[in-house]
Amino acid sequence: MLINWKWVSALSVASALAACGGGGDTTARGAIAVNMSNGYGAIVVNYTSQPEANSDVVDKCADDSGAGCAVILEFSGNGTCGSAAWAAGNGVWGVGSAGSKEVADSRALSQCIAKGGVSCEIPGWLETQCN
């Protein structure tokens, strides 16, 4: 039986890369965290790991607004946008994600209103929103 060593070598390299994390998922990930008591928050985009995005966004939110920040939205996919809408009058949040900033904003506003939010709006701190 003849063994094609080129194929064996290629499979060995591919297996080693997969085991070591090489050639892994390159999907961009993002997260939004907010401080429920004061409406401040943060967003991060273009991370390679969701846990890293979540950890960094909570830290960034806490730096800007104090303790008590929590992730309210995780989103992934190259070109995917995340958004949040807040009703300052009664503290209701809505979130949304989509392939464009405009649609993500619209979904967040719709969810905020559906949850009973009064005068829902996209907060000023929510700038860059897309992976």
Side-chain angles (χ1 to χ4, degrees):
M1 178 168 107
L2 275 176
I3 298 176
N4 187 337
W5 289 106
K6 289 181 183 177
W7 280 107
V8 171
S9 295
L11 288 173
S12 295
V13 170
S15 296
L17 282 174
C20 296
D25 186 4
T26 59
T27 300
R29 306 189 187 277
I32 298 174
V34 299
N35 182 319
M36 294 292 186
S37 64
N38 62 22
Y40 291 106
I43 183 170
V44 297
V45 295
N46 294 319
Y47 279 71
T48 56
S49 130
Q50 195 65 57
E52 183 181 12
N54 292 356
S55 176
D56 283 0
V57 78
V58 168
D59 289 346
K60 184 177 176 183
C61 175
D63 288 346
D64 294 341
S65 68
C69 293
V71 174
I72 62 168
L73 179 67
E74 297 176 341
F75 55 101
S76 64
N78 299 328
T80 301
C81 306
S83 187
W86 187 46
N90 59 349
V92 172
W93 284 93
V95 296
S97 62
S100 73
K101 176 189 179 312
E102 294 76 19
V103 174
D105 287 348
S106 177
R107 288 180 179 171
L109 287 166
S110 293
Q111 188 184 79
C112 180
I113 292 165
K115 290 168 67 177
V118 178
S119 300
C120 297
E121 58 185 36
I122 306 298
W125 54 261
L126 194 60
E127 296 173 4
T128 304
Q129 300 175 195
C130 303
N131 286 320

